């Protein structure tokens, strides 16, 4: 009897009906033994997913053949037939195995939380189901809103480039993407079991297939009723081959589920791209050129859209205003609040930028009156490049870092509360006199929080990163900003998805 663990829940009724075009009882009756055995020796089908193991006896039975006197059943030359019950059990075992495989593959798929990871998992699962070794997926939503990408499995970037030189109409994925074949209700698959034996195969396709070493392909559309066509997946065989009916059925079930998951991730990716675009558009499109100062910036936005911002604007009398800040929270509303705060600070800086304390006091009043539920940190510096003089004030913000040939130190600023947290904000300003060739680093606390260290250790890491810059590289603020960012946030922490935004603004005084 088939031993099925209790944790496996199989809907055999649907599976039997789908694959044999018959009901469950019909299947049992077809494979049940002919005749009416006694109650003690009657075979009982195993209980699987709620199926009643009691099988009714057939309406018509055949009387057992009379035994021949003196005949020995052991010496009979006729081999004993395979019990019909064993055949049914073998079929059930195969279906259980298939459903268990689908369950494991879909579990791995739903654990992916990024579009690129989900596409790679789709290709890996498909190669296992259809028996191929390589494949590619072309993501190209039919609504034209993107994202558009091509990802390969077992194919290098150069290999994908070679395949893109083949006319699109000659490729199976091109047929699925450019015609109704890739839409719901259209053609469900394209099988090319032997490319080189096909009449009319595009010469360039033949050349590329021979160069990359694949001889057959199997393609499926990625489409849903709600989202429409998302793309197409193609699996490549090294030798002439094609998936059998069972493999096609399994990969079809898996692909339909995977496409629904991909549709959700596409929407998430679009929302992230929209927030990132909003954030970038609300920040300076380029840094100004001011005599006596060289500027560079690094900005990283989290996937949910954060409120970290920076600004650099020329002011009257050949002065320069530098600002960094952060609005608490994340999401579209925070991005919008960040834009309003930055625009307001620019206006106050033009009117009274030589007094950073007055600028932040006006900003505090505006924030408290217009958005009383929010708080923000900010730092504004009024720079006079001709005099190499900086006057700055901060509201709950991290102190700047001064980097030179003989010193690497934090600028001592007064302790103050963030904007929006006090009924009246005011803190004394600080004057800094950088030497020729020294660089001032302004940054947001996201740079420290992304390290995962405590505040003290994060400040120590930032100081060590700045002090460790080779002296030959300190003349370029862009190199300084890049070195500090990569040293403080190594191993891709500067580009990984995080709830913390990062702003690093470098100003080198000549």
């Amino acid at each position: 009897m088939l031993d099925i663990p209790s944790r496996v829940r199989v809907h055999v009724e649907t599976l039997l009906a789908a694959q044999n075009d018959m009901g469950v009882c019909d299947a049992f009756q077809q494979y049940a033994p002919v005749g009416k055995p006694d109650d003690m020796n009657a075979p009982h089908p195993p209980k699987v997913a709620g199926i009643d193991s009691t099988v009714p006896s057939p309406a018509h039975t055949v009387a057992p053949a009379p035994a021949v006197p003196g005949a020995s059943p052991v010496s009979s030359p006729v081999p004993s037939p395979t019990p019909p019950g064993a055949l049914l059990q073998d079929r059930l075992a195969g279906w259980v195995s298939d459903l268990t495989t689908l369950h494991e593959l879909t579990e791995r798929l739903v654990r992916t939380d990024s579009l690129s990871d989900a596409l790679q998992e789709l290709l890996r699962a498909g190669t296992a189901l259809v028996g191929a070794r390589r494949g590619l997926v072309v993501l190209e939503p039919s609504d034209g809103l993107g994202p558009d990408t091509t990802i390969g499995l077992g194919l290098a970037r150069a290999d994908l480039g070679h395949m893109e030189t083949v006319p699109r109409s000659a490729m199976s994925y091109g047929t699925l993407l450019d015609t109704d074949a890739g839409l719901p209700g259209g053609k469900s698959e394209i099988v090319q079991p032997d490319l080189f034996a096909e009449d009319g195969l595009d010469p360039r396709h033949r050349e590329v297939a021979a160069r990359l070493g694949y001889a057959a392909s199997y393609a499926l559309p990625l489409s849903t009723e709600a989202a429409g066509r998302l793309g197409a997946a193609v699996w490549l065989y090294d030798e002439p081959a094609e998936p059998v009916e069972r493999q096609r059925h399994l990969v079809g079930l898996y692909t339909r589920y995977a496409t629904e998951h991909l549709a959700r991730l596409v929407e998430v990716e679009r929302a992230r791209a929209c927030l990132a675009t909003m954030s970038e558009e609300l920040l300076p499109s380029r840094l100004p050129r001011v005599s006596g100062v060289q500027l560079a910036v690094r900005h990283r936005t989290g996937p949910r859209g954060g409120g970290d911002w920076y600004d650099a604007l020329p002011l009257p009398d050949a002065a320069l205003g530098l600002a960094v800040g952060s609005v608490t929270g994340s999401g579209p509303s925070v991005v919008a609040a960040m834009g309003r705060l930055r625009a307001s600070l620019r206006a106050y800086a033009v009117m009274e930028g030589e007094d950073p304390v007055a600028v932040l006091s006006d900003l505090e009043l505006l924030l408290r009156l217009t958005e009383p539920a929010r708080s923000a940190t900010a730092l504004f510096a009024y720079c006079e490049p001709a005099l190499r003089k900086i006057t700055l004030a901060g509201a709950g913000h991290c102190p700047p870092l001064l980097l030179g040939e003989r010193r690497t130190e934090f600028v001592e600023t007064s302790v103050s509360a963030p904007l929006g947290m006090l009924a009246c904000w005011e803190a004394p300003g600080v004057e800094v006199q950088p030497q020729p060739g020294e660089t001032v680093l302004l940054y947001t606390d996201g740079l420290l929080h992304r390290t995962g260290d405590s505040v003290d250790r994060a400040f120590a890491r930032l100081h060590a990163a700045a002090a460790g810059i080779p002296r030959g590289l300190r003349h370029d603020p862009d190199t300084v900003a890049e070195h500090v960012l990569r040293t403080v946030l190594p191993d891709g922490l500067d580009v990984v998805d995080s709830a913390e935004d990062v702003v690093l603004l470098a100003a080198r005084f000549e």
Side-chain angles (χ1 to χ4, degrees):
M1 182 175 293
L2 179 65
D3 184 17
I4 301 176
S6 59
R7 64 184 180 87
V8 179
R9 306 293 301 170
V10 184
H11 296 282
V12 180
E13 298 94 333
T14 305
L15 197 57
L16 283 167
Q19 294 200 9
N20 292 276
D21 195 21
M22 62 179 66
V24 177
C25 295
D26 296 335
F28 275 109
Q29 289 180 2
Q30 175 176 340
Y31 297 111
V34 179
K36 184 176 181 181
D38 56 79
D39 294 338
M40 295 299 294
N41 298 324
H44 297 282
K47 289 186 177 180
V48 180
I51 295 180
D52 189 359
S53 60
T54 304
V55 181
S57 300
H60 304 283
T61 61
V62 179
V68 179
S72 175
V74 178
S75 60
S76 174
V78 180
S80 59
T82 302
L87 179 61
L88 179 58
Q89 288 187 1
D90 290 343
R91 282 205 167 193
L92 288 176
W95 294 334
V96 169
S97 176
D98 290 344
L99 290 178
T100 303
T101 299
L102 286 177
H103 173 73
E104 293 174 353
L105 292 177
T106 53
E107 282 290 315
R108 287 167 49 181
L109 178 69
V110 297
R111 285 196 292 267
T112 58
D113 55 1
S114 69
L115 189 58
S116 59
D117 290 344
L119 293 174
Q120 286 287 351
E121 182 58 37
L122 167 66
L123 287 176
R124 282 193 292 267
T127 55
L129 291 173
V130 303
R133 189 173 64 90
R134 294 176 290 177
L136 72 152
V137 58
V138 180
L139 190 68
E140 192 176 295
S142 57
D143 57 10
L145 300 179
D148 297 343
T149 185
T150 301
I151 293 180
L153 178 67
L155 297 170
R157 186 180 298 272
D159 298 335
L160 296 176
H162 286 305
M163 298 182 73
E164 289 177 353
T165 64
V166 180
R168 185 180 173 98
S169 59
M171 301 295 290
S172 55
Y173 67 81
T175 303
L176 293 174
L177 294 176
D178 297 338
T179 65
D180 292 338
L183 298 174
K187 191 172 182 179
S188 59
E189 62 181 6
I190 296 181
V191 185
Q192 294 178 299
D194 192 347
L195 286 170
F196 300 107
E198 288 187 6
D199 295 331
L201 182 67
D202 184 85
R204 180 56 183 167
H205 191 186
R206 183 185 301 273
E207 179 184 348
V208 170
R211 182 171 185 171
L212 300 184
Y214 67 88
S217 67
Y218 179 69
L220 287 176
L222 304 176
S223 60
T224 65
E225 292 291 343
R229 187 204 64 212
L230 295 180
V234 185
W235 290 277
L236 307 175
Y237 295 89
D238 296 341
E239 302 292 339
E242 63 178 301
V244 299
E245 185 63 30
R246 170 176 165 272
Q247 291 174 321
R248 295 183 187 182
H249 180 66
L250 291 177
V251 76
L253 291 174
Y254 177 82
T255 304
R256 284 196 292 272
Y257 181 86
T259 306
E260 296 288 347
H261 183 63
L262 290 176
R264 292 189 290 269
L265 292 180
V266 165
E267 292 300 322
V268 172
E269 191 70 20
R270 288 176 175 177
R272 290 181 177 181
C274 182
L275 283 175
T277 302
M278 287 177 56
S279 299
E280 294 298 330
E281 290 297 325
L282 291 174
L283 296 174
S285 58
R286 61 182 180 86
L287 295 174
R289 293 184 178 182
V290 178
S291 177
V293 180
Q294 296 178 1
L295 300 174
V297 69
R298 292 294 184 273
H299 179 225
R300 302 289 186 266
T301 302
R304 293 187 293 274
D308 287 16
W309 54 276
Y310 67 93
D311 206 348
L313 65 156
L315 296 175
D317 301 325
L320 173 69
L322 298 177
V324 292
S326 176
V327 180
T328 56
S330 61
S333 63
V334 171
V335 174
M338 175 265 287
R340 293 191 295 267
L341 197 67
R342 171 178 169 266
S344 301
L345 186 140
R346 290 175 69 93
Y348 298 144
V350 170
M351 292 185 296
E352 48 190 7
E354 68 278 0
D355 186 359
V357 172
V359 171
L360 293 185
S361 296
D362 293 342
L363 198 62
E364 153 71 23
L365 180 61
L366 177 70
L367 186 67
R368 181 158 42 89
L369 293 178
T370 60
E371 301 186 57
R374 296 192 187 279
S375 64
T377 65
L379 185 145
F380 178 73
Y382 180 79
C383 305
E384 300 172 88
L387 303 176
R388 287 196 302 277
K389 178 182 176 182
I390 302 176
T391 305
L392 59 88
H397 207 79
C398 303
L401 182 62
L402 189 60
L403 170 64
E405 292 289 336
R406 295 188 177 91
R407 60 176 175 172
T408 301
E409 60 187 25
F410 290 101
V411 177
E412 294 293 337
T413 57
S414 58
V415 179
S416 61
L419 303 175
M421 302 206 45
L422 296 178
C424 180
W425 180 92
E426 185 172 346
V430 178
E431 289 190 1
V432 181
Q433 196 81 31
Q435 298 300 315
E438 290 190 331
T439 301
V440 178
L441 296 178
L442 308 180
Y443 53 94
T444 58
D445 56 3
L447 178 65
L448 307 177
H449 293 164
R450 279 206 187 194
T451 63
D453 295 335
S454 62
V455 175
D456 292 340
R457 289 180 62 86
F459 274 117
R461 177 182 288 192
L462 174 59
H463 185 278
I469 299 176
R471 295 188 181 277
L473 302 178
R474 297 189 180 190
H475 65 279
D476 183 10
D478 192 77
T479 303
V480 169
E482 185 68 18
H483 183 277
V484 170
L485 185 65
R486 294 295 181 86
T487 306
V488 176
L489 301 175
D491 302 327
L493 286 177
D494 60 320
V495 295
V496 72
D497 286 347
S498 172
E500 299 290 342
D501 286 8
V502 174
V503 167
L504 179 60
L505 179 62
R508 182 181 183 271
F509 290 82
E510 298 176 351

